[in-house]
């Protein structure tokens, strides 16, 4: 899979249909709401608004990987409310501060739907298209950057796993299973994250915040939800519903680091101090009933459908079949119950260092 | 027609099809190119870049009514080139300046297509959705605002012309013909322009530029191109292809002021000084051949099709019929030849006053 293709199709389903991200993001919302509390607390205790706004009266927030809403609107409103509260406590005239929110996602994101869904608001809204593994904003122009459930997406599929002559060749599989493949994914993730932190360091004003919520691998979890999905893909290829050689070149462009792995990445960065980390566990679905499992599957569908359709050259019918099978397989594997039922998020709040 | 509806449908056709704005904006491009010269000259002689950038290293440009390209990209690149030249002449290190371009249009604009068409660039791009008859940007945040062929669109249809009991009632017609209707349009235009200037005055930094290109009424022109269009609408209503009572409530939401009328509006504003005005004449179409007339008609179609479809509740077939008739009528009326063949644009460059 080429990087270009990835940027073009690795976006959530747009619009407002049954498989749209807008209708299938309750899971992300639940995780987000927990962490918005953490962000509010850090703003209250550590964000020096008066200092940050000494040169400008506009507080600028960027939400990276915003998709089409509604979660992004909930996040930025919560952040703005917290900053306003902090302003009050710093005896700033809240009327004198304006807010600008920059909504970012890949060029292929459905920004038309995002704009149509914008709520009544007390901030100036703008959208910035492009990958966050590169510069998106002018130097020192942001006060707070938020990225929720989006840093698991890699900038590209590691090249080795697409190379038949490499020990990391991942033919016939679609995610990391064996050691060499996992290592290739891990290396790509580390490279992406280092780049992410260094470009954000340019864009965030000294003293500004970078808050991120990332899904991590829970030791003992195993990649079983992906195993279930992979097994459906392989079955359908065997039955001729998907082309077998296209399975060889398909790999999910997401990576879930371990807690230690992620911590090592943020600890070695030179630009930000770590102000807070939190690990949260929660159930993937409220119960193991079929409707719940189906909702979980639809969520995955809203995220990967565009990419799957493009890569395999298939339409809605094959997607229906794939995700019907996925639901059955999840139930059969017991993947969303027992030890597999919990999902672990890692929250981190970083503060941009004042440059030496 | 409600204002809300207008904001939702008074945008150019999106996408890249045969009736898209992208494929039907050569006329606007030709006008734009003449005036980009004027803007470059004014930047060279009067824009004090060093002073404007004393607090920030980011030069910010907004293009209002940007539609989906390609004209907007040509405009902003030309402006950036001119500012860079000026930087050099002011001995500023050009490397030290970053550019950010804010592309604005109504929420209903096809921003997805705009983003996909963004060229390789040396500026940060963002989109700002919403009507420019209201605040769009933070206070004092812009250095140069550009608005080309977009200020002819009214924020709303004047209420009197929709009122059966008013002397300005415009039943059975779709644009200004009689005096009372023209006066209602004119009043709405003046109100919109006053508002436009006062909100831009908040957003543009003192010393910053506001450049606008507007189509104006050439004395002697008469509204004959609109007459031809209106006559097709009326004919089709008589034949039952369009609903007659919907003709009563349909009016084109555009106004072309006279030169004196427009000058009076900019002269009475308190926020900007007038640095330059230019009047340019040019042919609407290169020749009166049928293919040329058809290109002219497609251009109108790319602009008004969404609104017409929505208002009359009709589809592509009726649109094909309407614009086929329009081509015939333009030829029959000789509307694009002789005294009617020229189109007059008025260019104005304003400079934001330093506040007292």
């Amino acid at each position: 899979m080429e990087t270009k293709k990835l940027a073009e199709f690795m976006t959530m389903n747009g619009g407002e249909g049954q498989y749209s991200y807008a209708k299938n993001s309750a899971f992300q919302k639940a995780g987000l709401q927990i962490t918005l509390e953490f962000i509010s607390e850090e703003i209250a205790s550590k964000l020096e608004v008066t200092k940050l706004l000494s040169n400008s009266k506009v507080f600028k927030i960027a939400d990276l990987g915003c998709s089409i809403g509604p979660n992004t609107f909930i996040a930025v409103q919560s952040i703005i409310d917290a900053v306003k509260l902090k302003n009050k406590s710093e005896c700033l005239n809240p009327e004198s501060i304006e807010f600008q929110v920059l909504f970012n996602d890949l060029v292929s994101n459905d920004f038309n739907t995002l704009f149509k869904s914008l709520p009544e608001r007390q901030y100036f809204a703008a959208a910035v298209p492009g990958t966050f593994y590169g510069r998106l904003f002018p130097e020192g122009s942001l006060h707070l950057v938020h990225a929720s459930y989006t840093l698991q997406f890699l900038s590209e599929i590691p090249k080795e796993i697409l190379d038949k002559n490499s020990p990391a060749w991942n033919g016939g599989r679609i995610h990391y299973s064996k050691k060499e493949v996992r290592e290739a994914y891990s290396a790509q993730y580390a490279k992406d994250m280092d780049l992410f932190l260094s470009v954000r360091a340019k864009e965030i004003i000294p003293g500004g915040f970078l808050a991120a919520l990332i899904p991590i691998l829970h030791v003992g979890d195993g990649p079983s939800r992906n195993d279930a999905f992979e097994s459906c893909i392989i079955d359908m290829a065997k039955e001729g519903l998907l082309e077998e050689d296209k399975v060889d070149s398909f790999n999910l462009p997401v990576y879930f680091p371990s807690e230690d792995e992620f911590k090592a990445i943020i600890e070695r960065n030179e630009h930000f101090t770590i102000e807070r980390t939190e690990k949260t566990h929660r159930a993937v679905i409220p119960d193991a009933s079929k409707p719940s499992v189906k909702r979980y599957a639809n969520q995955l569908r809203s995220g990967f459908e565009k990419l799957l359709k493009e890569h395999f050259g298939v339409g809605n019918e094959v997607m229906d079949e794939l995700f019907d099978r996925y639901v059955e397989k999840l139930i059969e594997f017991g993947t969303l119950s027992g030890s597999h039922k919990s999902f672990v998020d890692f929250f981190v709040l970083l503060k941009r260092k004042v440059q030496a």
Side-chain angles (χ1 to χ4, degrees), chain A residues 231-245 247 312 325:
Chain A
S231 135
C232 301
I233 296 259
I234 291 170
D235 286 353
M236 285 176 71
K238 276 188 194 141
E239 294 169 35
L241 295 169
L242 296 172
E243 286 177 49
E244 286 205 67
D245 61 342
V247 176
F312 290 104
R325 286 178 184 224

Side-chain angles (χ1 to χ4, degrees), chain A residues 154-329:
Chain A
L154 299 175
S155 72
E156 60 179 312
I157 297 296
K159 287 182 188 66
E160 312 88 287
I161 75 172
L162 297 167
D163 176 2
K164 280 190 179 163
N165 302 315
S166 160
W169 161 242
N170 204 32
R173 308 297 302 263
I174 65 163
H175 208 202
Y176 38 87
S177 41
K178 63 178 178 181
K179 186 170 151 282
E180 290 84 355
V181 177
R182 190 178 165 88
E183 280 169 0
Y185 265 94
S186 169
Q188 182 64 48
Y189 183 78
K191 198 176 132 192
D192 282 345
M193 279 302 299
D194 287 343
L195 178 61
F196 177 84
L197 291 170
S198 75
V199 289
R200 293 297 87 73
K202 292 245 183 224
E203 298 165 351
I204 298 173
I205 196 169
F209 279 7
L210 169 57
L213 181 64
I214 63 154
I216 61 170
L217 187 74
H218 185 45
V219 180
D221 257 11
S224 48
R225 287 189 293 271
N226 289 328
D227 279 351
F229 191 66
E230 180 178 76
S231 135
C232 301
I233 296 259
I234 291 170
D235 286 353
M236 285 176 71
K238 276 188 194 141
E239 294 169 35
L241 295 169
L242 296 172
E243 286 177 49
E244 286 205 67
D245 61 342
K246 287 193 174 167
V247 176
D248 287 349
S249 57
F250 185 81
N251 293 280
L252 290 171
V254 290
Y255 180 72
F256 305 101
S258 72
E259 182 179 349
D260 288 343
E261 197 180 351
F262 184 74
K263 275 186 176 162
I265 291 170
I266 53 174
E267 278 163 8
R268 74 167 173 251
N269 102 84
E270 295 170 345
H271 315 290
F272 297 93
T273 54
I274 300 169
E275 300 295 323
R276 181 161 179 174
T277 60
E278 294 282 347
K279 198 161 85 170
T280 62
H281 295 247
R282 61 205 180 84
V284 173
I285 52 175
D287 55 69
S289 70
K290 193 164 172 177
S292 291
V293 174
K294 215 167 148 47
R295 268 197 296 280
Y296 173 78
N298 282 349
Q299 197 176 280
L300 197 80
R301 181 169 180 166
S302 83
F304 288 106
E305 182 168 81
K306 272 202 241 176
L307 190 68
L308 289 162
K309 278 181 174 174
E310 165 65 20
H311 185 87
F312 290 104
V314 295
N316 285 329
E317 223 167 281
V318 174
M319 285 296 111
D320 288 345
E321 177 67 26
L322 173 61
F323 285 93
D324 282 350
R325 286 178 184 224
Y326 184 46
V327 170
E328 296 307 326
K329 197 71 83 175

Side-chain angles (χ1 to χ4, degrees), chain A residues 36-52 79 81-90 144 207 209 274-278 347 349-351:
Chain A
L36 286 175
E37 287 296 310
F38 302 146
I39 298 176
S40 296
E41 287 169 17
E42 294 307 301
I43 288 172
S45 63
K46 293 180 188 156
L47 192 73
E48 299 173 279
V49 183
T50 316
K51 210 186 245 181
L52 287 179
I79 291 167
D81 290 343
V83 175
K84 282 186 175 171
L85 260 181
K86 187 64 193 290
N87 285 349
K88 260 194 194 163
S89 78
E90 292 190 10
L144 194 151
F209 279 7
I274 300 169
E275 300 295 323
R276 181 161 179 174
T277 60
E278 294 282 347
F347 168 80
L349 192 133
L350 306 175
K351 188 176 186 172

Side-chain angles (χ1 to χ4, degrees), chain A residues 116-179:
Chain A
K116 281 176 191 136
S117 323
L118 271 167
E120 283 290 309
R121 59 197 182 275
Q122 293 183 299
Y123 54 84
F124 297 104
V128 172
T131 171
F132 47 59
Y133 297 119
R135 283 290 300 282
L136 293 165
F137 310 97
E139 206 171 320
S141 66
L142 301 174
H143 300 96
L144 194 151
V145 171
H146 177 252
S148 185
Y149 286 115
T150 192
L151 292 171
Q152 71 270 29
F153 292 103
L154 299 175
S155 72
E156 60 179 312
I157 297 296
K159 287 182 188 66
E160 312 88 287
I161 75 172
L162 297 167
D163 176 2
K164 280 190 179 163
N165 302 315
S166 160
W169 161 242
N170 204 32
R173 308 297 302 263
I174 65 163
H175 208 202
Y176 38 87
S177 41
K178 63 178 178 181
K179 186 170 151 282

